[in-house]
């Protein structure tokens, strides 16, 4: 059901055109942060306004939209953004990664490989990879234009000197096509290899910071490292307790106050598909389906209506 | 952490219903009308209009009601509405010299043409709780004849800084023909221009601008400001209509204008003279207008050839990038959204680093 008081996908066509221009510029100069006149959206800054604007500018009525937050389709903010586009654009939505033509994400890249027919839109809080080394935008823009990334390498080196390894676990900086150092948004570094050579178009929107950047399909993206300290993608050293997957990124769930915990796929669609195919993890399906956990939680917080 | 955010749609709907009920409060108490907010909480309405960058008292009052009195939330509602409106054009510069003033004070001259008009001010009230307001009070009436007729042909009140200008004691601002930038339509480019800074300041958070201004008074980028003039009143908004070839008045807005006169001993490039800071805000919002003019002046150090003392209020990028409360509150509050993917990766990292550190320690102990 579309809300007719607003234009398709909320933004007016002038604004969409402005955003599309920024996107095109971003695609033309991979990894370069393009300033754009970010609008106030009806959700707060920090909730994904950059991603929402990019999605709104790219969305067509034929699109099938998937929205994930922390890899999950059913986290509150993913639900909220999906509802927003259902209401303002009336597009079809899905949980299935393969069925989606546009995927808006916060903090994860889906486990399932993407295709040329898909656009992945990232929500970005701080687009500037150099920001915590140099707080001034006027300075960091200069550093990018001069390709002056020594500060970043010194930081990574100091990490190794102090900790024996690079102490960055998420938002791990990358270099795009040998030119721009880019912040991949706060995805775990486990996801970094998926950024490179992806058949899908990857767009990054930072609303509050008014920046858009892009990775066109099949762009080479290299995680920064040193020859003697090569980049490694890391995850919890476990298998998923629900579906048994060994290759997916895992969330750690505290089960009780005695330190009991389980590990489950952060990508809910990936996990559910595997379980539908009959894969069963250590804690089996009957006992600890995420649905059951969710329902028991709602039972506590959502009033006394019981399960749906 | 996994389960806590898996409430899904039903939890969101329930939360919204709960919010609506809380907003209404005790049903035994009469509901607050939007008109009551507009008329009786006018300073809140003014702040929402000023920082929401939208002059519409009814919508601002509605936003305050919807936001349960949380003014930053109300400002956000107004901004999100404003952004969907088409921008049809720009008005001519407001003629604040032609303002129908309800309040006009100068701290630099005891009297001046046009007179000192206190207007509706808290300035000389004693801050004693007035318990009569808690009871049903009588209708307060101000003496008639003292309030200047609104909008009517009130005599133009010249700006006080104009008197200083005649003697060449204060810098002259030359009007430019360039249309000012609009940070709501173009991304902020740094270093910015004075019009851009003024726009950012006028819609910036009152608390932030106030603290910045206060810091200059306490020595962090001191500018020795006097309120040359503070005036509040309604001005006509005129717009050029290309089809007509002349401008027409499209409405009236109430604004607060503050001009500070700042001591200036001269620099390498400028002779000793007084300099100006400028503040202009929607509605009666004088704390904000004064603060704005102090921060404006502090930010002008470069053009006046003053020293950069490293004070926060002199730092254009710092002030401009942090003045917006809708941006600030959004980013601040977003950290309550789930971050468990990032936290998980940090957890693994800390576990690894700890294991290595512990192993190294054990080795050293042997």
């Amino acid at each position: 059901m579309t809300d007719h008081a607003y234009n398709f996908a909320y933004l007016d066509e002038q604004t969409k055109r402005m955003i599309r221009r920024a996107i095109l510029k971003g695609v033309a100069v991979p990894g370069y942060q393009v300033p754009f006149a970010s609008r106030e959206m009806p959700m707060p800054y920090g909730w994904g306004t950059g991603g929402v604007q990019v999605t709104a500018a790219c969305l067509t009525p034929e699109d099938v939209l998937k929205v994930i937050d922390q890899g999950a389709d059913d986290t509150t903010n993913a639900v909220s953004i999906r509802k927003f586009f259902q209401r303002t654009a009336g597009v079809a939505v899905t949980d299935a990664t393969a069925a989606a033509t546009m995927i808006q994400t916060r903090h994860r890249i889906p486990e399932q490989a993407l295709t040329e027919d898909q656009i992945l839109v990232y929500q970005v809080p701080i687009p500037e990879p150099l920001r915590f080394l140099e707080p001034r935008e006027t300075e960091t823009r200069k550093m990018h234009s001069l390709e002056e990334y020594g500060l970043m390498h010194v930081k990574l080196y100091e990490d190794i000197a102090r900790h024996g390894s690079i102490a960055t676990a998420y938002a791990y900086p990358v270099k795009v096509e040998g030119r721009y150092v880019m912040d991949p948004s706060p995805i775990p570094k486990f996801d970094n290899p998926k950024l490179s050579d992806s058949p899908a178009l990857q767009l990054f929107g930072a609303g509050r910071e008014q920046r858009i950047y892009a990775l066109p399909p099949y762009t080479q993206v290299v995680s920064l490292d040193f020859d003697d300290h090569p980049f490694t993608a890391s995850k919890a050293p476990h298998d998923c307790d629900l579906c048994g997957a060994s290759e997916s990124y895992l969330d750690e769930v505290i089960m009780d106050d005695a330190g009991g915990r389980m590990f489950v796929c952060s990508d809910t669609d990936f996990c559910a598909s595997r379980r539908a195919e009959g894969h069963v993890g250590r804690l089996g399906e009957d006992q600890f389906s995420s649905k059951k956990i969710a329902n028991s939680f709602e039972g506590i917080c959502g009033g006394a209506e019981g399960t749906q | 952490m996994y389960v806590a955010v898996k409430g899904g749609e039903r939890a969101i709907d329930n939360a919204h219903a709960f919010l609506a009920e809380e907003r209404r409060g005790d049903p035994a108490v009469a509901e607050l009308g939007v008109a009551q907010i507009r008329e009786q909480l006018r300073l809140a309405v003014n702040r929402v209009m000023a920082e929401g960058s939208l002059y519409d008292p009814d919508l601002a009052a509605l936003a305050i009601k919807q936001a349960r009195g949380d003014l930053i939330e109300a400002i956000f509602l107004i901004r999100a509405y404003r952004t969907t409106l088409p921008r049809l054009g720009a008005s001519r510069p407001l003629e604040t010299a032609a303002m129908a003033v309800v309040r006009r004070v100068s701290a630099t001259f005891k009297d001046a043409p046009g007179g000192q008009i206190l207007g509706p001010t808290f300035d000389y009230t004693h801050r004693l709780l007035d318990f009569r307001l808690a009871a049903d009070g009588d209708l307060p009436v101000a003496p008639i004849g003292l309030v200047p007729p609104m909008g009517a042909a009130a005599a133009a009140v010249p700006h006080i800084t104009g008197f200083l200008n005649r003697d060449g004691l204060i810098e002259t601002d030359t009007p430019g023909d360039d249309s000012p930038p609009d940070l709501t339509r173009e991304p902020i480019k740094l270093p910015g221009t004075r019009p851009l800074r003024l726009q950012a300041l006028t819609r910036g958070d009152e608390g932030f601008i106030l603290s910045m201004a206060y810091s200059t008074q306490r020595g962090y980028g001191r500018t020795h400001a006097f309120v040359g003039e503070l005036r509040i009143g309604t001005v006509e908004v005129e717009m050029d209509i290309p089809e007509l070839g002349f401008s027409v008045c499209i409405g009236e807005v109430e604004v607060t204008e503050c001009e500070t006169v700042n001591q200036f001993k001269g620099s390498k490039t400028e002779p000793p003279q007084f300099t100006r800071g400028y503040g202009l805000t929607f509605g009666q919002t004088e704390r904000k207008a004064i603060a704005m003019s102090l921060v404006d002046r502090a930010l002008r150090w470069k053009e006046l050839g003053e020293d950069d003392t490293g004070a926060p209020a002199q730092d254009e990028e710092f002030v401009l990038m942090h003045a917006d409360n809708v941006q600030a509150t959004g980013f601040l509050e977003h950290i309550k959204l789930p971050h468990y993917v990032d936290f998980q990766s940090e957890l693994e990292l800390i576990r690894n680093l700890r294991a290595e550190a512990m192993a190294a320690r054990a080795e050293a102990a042997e």
Side-chain angles (χ1 to χ4, degrees):
Chain A
M1 191 190 74
T2 315
D3 207 321
H4 291 290
Y6 293 98
N7 191 32
F8 174 77
Y10 183 76
L11 293 173
D12 59 281
E13 293 301 315
Q14 287 289 325
T15 300
K16 283 189 197 170
R17 191 166 73 166
M18 176 271 295
I19 294 171
R20 286 173 192 148
R21 281 179 171 164
I23 292 172
L24 288 175
K25 189 167 178 183
V27 169
V29 192
Y32 170 74
Q33 299 166 51
V34 185
F36 82 111
S38 177
R39 297 285 189 261
E40 272 102 355
M41 299 300 285
M43 61 274 286
Y45 289 114
W47 265 244
T49 54
V52 168
Q53 288 179 77
V54 169
T55 299
C58 293
L59 210 58
T60 64
E62 296 76 36
D63 270 313
V64 180
L65 180 69
K66 171 182 167 80
V67 183
I68 49 173
D69 184 349
Q70 315 289 304
D73 298 273
D74 56 354
T75 41
T76 43
N77 199 41
V79 169
S80 163
I81 291 173
R82 186 164 52 241
K83 265 180 136 176
F84 174 73
F85 282 116
Q86 280 178 295
R87 181 169 165 189
T88 58
V91 290
V93 296
T94 182
D95 287 357
T97 302
T101 56
M102 284 206 70
I103 304 173
Q104 180 168 333
T105 180
R106 179 168 172 263
H107 296 191
R108 275 311 310 276
I109 299 176
E111 304 290 355
Q112 185 176 346
L114 301 178
T115 69
E116 286 183 357
D117 301 322
Q118 293 177 309
I119 300 177
L120 183 61
V121 177
Y122 296 77
Q123 301 171 200
V124 182
I126 304 271
E128 179 50 72
L130 306 168
R131 178 61 67 239
F132 299 109
L133 305 172
E134 167 54 61
R136 283 176 196 283
E137 180 69 11
T138 36
E139 284 301 313
T140 52
R141 283 192 84 77
K142 214 179 290 167
M143 289 159 76
H144 282 294
S145 57
L146 298 173
E147 214 175 331
E148 178 53 67
Y149 295 128
L151 205 57
M152 180 62 93
H153 286 105
V154 169
K155 189 255 168 199
L156 297 178
Y157 169 75
E158 283 180 350
D159 267 8
I160 292 170
R162 201 169 296 147
H163 309 292
S165 59
I166 294 171
T168 299
Y170 61 91
Y172 190 102
V174 295
K175 197 162 201 179
V176 180
E177 287 290 340
R179 177 58 180 86
Y180 284 100
V181 166
M182 186 191 94
D183 183 310
S185 89
I187 55 173
K189 68 176 182 175
F190 173 83
D191 281 340
N192 269 25
K194 295 183 216 155
L195 291 162
S196 192
D197 211 31
S198 170
L201 171 63
Q202 300 175 82
L203 302 174
F204 298 77
R208 190 179 40 78
E209 299 278 340
Q210 311 190 312
R211 294 291 183 271
I212 283 172
Y213 50 104
L215 296 172
Y218 304 109
T219 300
Q220 189 203 35
V221 180
V222 178
S223 302
L224 298 182
D225 62 359
F226 296 102
D227 289 344
D228 51 348
H229 282 90
F231 170 85
T232 47
S234 64
K235 62 178 273 267
H238 300 274
D239 293 343
C240 173
D241 285 329
L242 295 181
C243 77
S246 60
E247 71 279 23
S248 68
Y249 191 77
L250 301 174
D251 288 334
E252 185 172 333
V253 184
I254 298 172
M255 304 293 291
D256 49 46
D257 54 9
R261 53 196 65 198
M262 67 186 287
F263 289 87
V264 292
C265 291
S266 120
D267 185 333
T268 47
D269 173 57
F270 179 77
C271 197
S273 315
R274 277 181 54 88
R275 274 177 286 149
E277 289 164 11
H279 296 278
V280 178
R282 183 175 65 93
L283 293 174
E285 193 148 336
D286 308 333
Q287 252 183 307
F288 290 107
S289 77
S290 65
K291 187 83 187 163
K292 192 171 172 188
I293 297 173
N295 287 343
S296 66
F297 186 81
E298 280 192 11
I300 301 165
C301 290
E305 298 132 296
T307 53
Q308 278 171 304
Chain B
M1 52 189 175
Y2 183 71
V3 289
V5 289
K6 303 274 181 179
E9 262 177 275
R10 207 155 55 88
I12 294 179
D13 290 342
N14 287 342
H16 291 172
F18 192 7
L19 172 68
E21 194 181 304
E22 284 292 301
R23 176 187 295 122
R24 177 59 183 87
D26 183 353
V29 177
E31 188 179 354
L32 190 57
V34 168
Q36 288 174 314
I37 297 172
R38 186 192 65 221
E39 294 303 316
Q40 297 173 37
L41 296 177
R42 200 133 130 211
L43 299 188
V45 168
N46 288 344
R47 180 174 173 194
V48 171
M49 293 196 301
E51 293 171 37
S53 295
L54 184 76
Y55 195 91
D56 190 321
D58 291 300
L59 286 182
L62 172 63
I64 290 168
K65 178 173 179 175
Q66 187 177 335
R68 306 176 63 196
D70 179 340
L71 294 191
I72 292 181
E73 178 68 24
I75 290 159
F76 180 24
L77 287 168
I78 290 297
R79 291 266 193 96
Y81 175 77
R82 178 196 192 273
T83 199
T84 65
L85 301 175
R87 188 185 155 145
L88 300 174
S91 76
R92 297 183 61 80
L94 297 181
E95 279 298 339
T96 51
M99 178 188 287
V101 295
V102 294
R103 171 163 165 77
R104 187 247 198 172
V105 291
S106 169
T108 52
F109 294 101
K110 186 166 183 179
D111 202 0
Q116 304 252 22
I117 302 164
L118 283 183
T121 177
F122 291 123
D123 283 356
Y124 306 102
T125 60
H126 292 144
R127 269 57 168 206
L128 304 171
L129 280 176
D130 184 353
F131 293 101
R132 282 173 305 178
L133 289 175
D136 290 333
D138 299 328
L139 195 64
V141 188
I144 331 167
L146 298 179
V147 183
M150 299 286 282
V157 183
H159 281 112
I160 283 174
T161 47
F163 303 123
L164 282 170
N165 233 358
R166 280 184 214 149
D167 304 328
L169 288 178
I170 193 163
E171 57 165 333
T172 37
D173 282 333
T174 38
D177 290 333
D178 307 340
S179 47
D182 181 354
L183 62 83
T184 69
R185 300 284 138 160
E186 295 290 329
I188 289 186
K189 268 202 201 85
L190 294 169
T193 56
R194 194 175 177 202
L196 179 85
R197 294 198 301 252
L198 289 171
Q199 186 191 14
L201 292 176
T202 195
R203 61 195 247 119
D205 181 69
E206 180 175 304
F208 177 83
I209 309 292
L210 168 67
S211 293
M212 280 291 129
Y214 178 48
S215 71
T216 69
Q217 291 184 292
R218 290 194 65 259
Y220 290 82
R222 190 147 184 229
T223 60
H224 309 270
F226 301 102
V227 171
E229 182 175 356
L230 174 75
R231 55 168 67 195
I232 301 171
T234 48
V235 289
E236 292 188 340
V237 180
E238 294 207 1
M239 199 166 158
D240 283 323
I241 309 293
E243 291 84 347
L244 297 178
F246 53 85
S247 69
V248 293
C249 172
I250 56 170
E252 278 183 346
V253 294
E254 184 188 40
V255 294
T256 303
E257 183 185 49
C258 179
E259 284 190 287
T260 57
V261 176
N262 302 70
Q263 191 194 96
F264 180 62
K265 296 202 177 79
S267 68
K268 281 168 227 142
T269 54
E270 304 291 323
Q273 62 182 341
F274 290 112
T275 54
R276 301 164 187 247
Y278 188 71
L280 183 75
T281 50
F282 279 151
Q284 179 174 358
T285 39
E286 62 183 74
R287 179 187 301 122
K288 173 71 177 288
I290 299 168
M292 175 178 168
S293 59
L294 261 63
V295 178
D296 168 50
R297 177 59 188 81
L299 287 171
R300 295 181 60 210
W301 64 273
K302 209 179 269 177
E303 69 177 278
L304 295 169
E306 292 174 323
D307 291 333
D308 176 10
T309 62
Q314 286 184 313
D315 187 333
E316 179 186 77
E317 181 163 347
F318 181 82
V319 173
L320 262 52
M321 299 307 272
H322 302 114
D324 192 298
N325 53 24
V326 177
Q327 290 179 351
T329 199
F331 197 52
L332 179 103
E333 294 193 45
H334 106 281
I335 60 174
K336 66 194 171 189
L337 291 181
H339 280 82
Y340 50 75
V341 163
D342 305 328
F343 185 70
Q344 186 63 41
S345 59
E346 290 276 271
L347 212 54
E348 295 304 325
L349 180 71
I350 293 292
R351 278 178 183 145
N352 289 340
L353 293 178
R354 265 180 73 86
E356 281 162 27
M358 294 303 205
R361 199 173 293 173
E363 219 167 85
E366 274 165 20

